[in-house]
Every structure is written in structure tokens, then in C-alpha cells.
Amino acid sequence: MVTKDISIQNKVFTLTNQRAVFWKKEKALILSDLHIGKTAHFRKNGIALANHIMKSDLERLSALIEYFQPEKFIVVGDLLHAGDNSDVDEFCTWRNQYPDLHFYLIEGNHDRISEQLKKKLCLNFKESLLEIDGFTFIHDFDKTKTAFQITGHIHPGIVLNYAIKNIRLPCFALSENQLLLPAFSEFTGLDTKNLPKKSTFFIFTDTEIYKI
């Protein structure tokens, strides 16, 4: 686990190389775009994909919970990819290991969740936005809001140009009024073009978090 503390609105947030953020003051683990059920959706439509992709995501989640010992688990949209399926069952089994963890979902464009599914997922909160201590958690940036926003949706990435080849890496993007989170799931594409203007980017590897 590699971490880097940054200050936002005089509050300390800890970035990790596991595509998530920890807010110590609120004891909150924050991430976005898990897209649970994406591999099962592809398999259902005739595209063979191994299930180890989601298992890896859940193993990283468990490692983050064990490391930070959070009380809140905040997903800033797109927890799911295509409604209820076998991958969601596996996620719910994982979720049941942490009954004392308060689970907040800010709804994303993929989160089509009925009341029955909300109960199955053991959600404590499901709304289009969440406000805590002057911060607004919302899936996609809202230009009409003045509060600092913590968002997802874009799957931000940076291209590093080398003589031999170009490398694309996920990143955090920090601007004056937004912290854009990388997609937590490794089974997602990267958007290297639609990034917030005038941002500081934090890219990460297995051993380091770099500010660029």
C-alpha cells in the first residue's frame, strides 16, 4: 500500500495507489466506478471473461478496509454496471463480511437499483448526492454547485510519452473545486482527454504516487 496525503479545504485526504482515498476525519474510504457485474454482463452476452477481474477488485477493497479501518464506505457512483447478476451476488457476500461498515452510494448513470436490490446490497444511503462537512459527493461534476465536489464518472488517465512507447495510467485529478477519482475497477477504459482544466494530477504505480 502506497499513500500520499494532500490538503483540500484545510482537510487531509490520503490518496492511495489502490485507486481510492481515505478521509481520516470522517473515517471514510472513498472510491468510484466499481462497475460490479460488468464481467458477468459480458459473459451473458457471449463474451468469455474470467471472473478473476472482480475477485481482484474485491481483494483490493478488503486490503483497504483492513489498512484504514474505516467506519464509512462511500462509492461516488457506478457501483454496478448492468443491474443485478451473479457478480452482484458475489459482491453482496463480500459486503456481508463488514456488517458495521456504513455503506453510502451516490447514484451514477449505471446504478439502476430497485428497493429490493438496495436491501440486498445492504446500503445505508442511496441518493444522487451526499454532503459532508462542506464537501459534495456527486458522480459527475455539477457546474451549478459552489461547494468542493468529489466525483467519478470520467475514469481519468494520463498518457506518458516515451521514446519507445506511450504509457497510459489512471490518475487522480485535483483542481480548485474538484477531486476527480480514478475508476476503482481495473476493468475500465481511461479518458485522457476530458479532464478538468487547470488540474494537478497524481499518477501511481505499485511503488510510488507521483504529482505532475
Side-chain angles (χ1 to χ4, degrees):
M1 184 80 65
V2 180
T3 65
K4 184 179 186 65
D5 289 344
I6 62 172
S7 178
I8 305 174
Q9 309 284 343
N10 297 316
K11 305 291 193 304
V12 176
F13 289 80
T14 302
L15 308 183
T16 76
N17 68 337
Q18 299 301 312
R19 303 180 181 225
V21 177
F22 183 65
W23 186 4
K24 185 176 181 179
K25 177 182 176 293
E26 292 294 325
K27 298 182 179 179
L29 181 65
I30 307 162
L31 47 96
S32 185
D33 295 276
L34 279 83
H35 288 276
I36 297 295
K38 189 173 183 178
T39 53
H41 176 71
F42 274 61
R43 289 195 298 270
K44 183 179 179 180
N45 287 278
I47 302 173
L49 289 174
N51 199 36
H52 71 81
I53 297 170
M54 195 185 78
K55 289 181 184 296
S56 175
D57 287 343
L58 295 182
E59 286 172 359
R60 287 189 297 118
L61 266 178
S62 291
L64 284 160
I65 290 169
E66 291 169 12
Y67 186 87
F68 288 110
Q69 296 293 306
E71 294 179 357
K72 300 183 183 78
F73 175 39
I74 302 174
V75 178
V76 193
D78 286 357
L79 168 68
L80 304 184
H81 183 78
D84 198 357
N85 59 30
S86 59
D87 282 356
V88 175
D89 293 337
E90 186 171 345
F91 174 80
C92 290
T93 299
W94 172 89
R95 163 73 176 106
N96 289 335
Q97 298 177 77
Y98 307 100
D100 297 327
L101 188 62
H102 287 255
F103 189 3
Y104 298 75
L105 173 61
I106 292 82
E107 295 170 289
N109 51 296
H110 281 273
D111 291 317
R112 299 183 291 275
I113 297 177
S114 65
E115 285 301 311
Q116 182 179 358
L117 184 52
K118 176 182 175 181
K119 184 177 180 180
K120 177 179 176 179
L121 290 164
C122 301
L123 294 174
N124 301 102
F125 177 94
K126 179 181 74 71
E127 296 290 346
S128 60
L129 62 84
L130 172 66
E131 295 179 342
I132 302 177
D133 196 19
F135 292 87
T136 295
F137 295 83
I138 189 167
H139 185 53
D140 195 10
F141 186 76
D142 187 340
K143 295 180 181 179
T144 68
K145 299 188 179 301
T146 57
F148 190 94
Q149 298 177 48
I150 297 177
T151 71
H153 184 56
I154 300 296
H155 306 182
I158 290 290
V159 178
L160 300 180
N161 298 307
Y162 292 95
I164 300 175
K165 64 177 181 178
N166 296 335
I167 299 176
R168 294 158 55 91
L169 294 173
C171 68
F172 299 88
L174 176 64
S175 59
E176 183 179 4
N177 55 357
Q178 179 185 13
L179 175 63
L180 172 60
L181 306 178
F184 185 81
S185 175
E186 295 180 345
F187 186 37
T188 55
L190 295 178
D191 189 336
T192 61
K193 296 180 179 180
N194 298 304
L195 302 177
K197 296 179 180 178
K198 298 181 180 179
S199 291
T200 299
F201 299 104
F202 296 88
I203 60 174
F204 43 88
T205 66
D206 291 341
T207 59
E208 188 62 84
I209 298 175
Y210 300 93
K211 177 181 176 181
I212 61 174

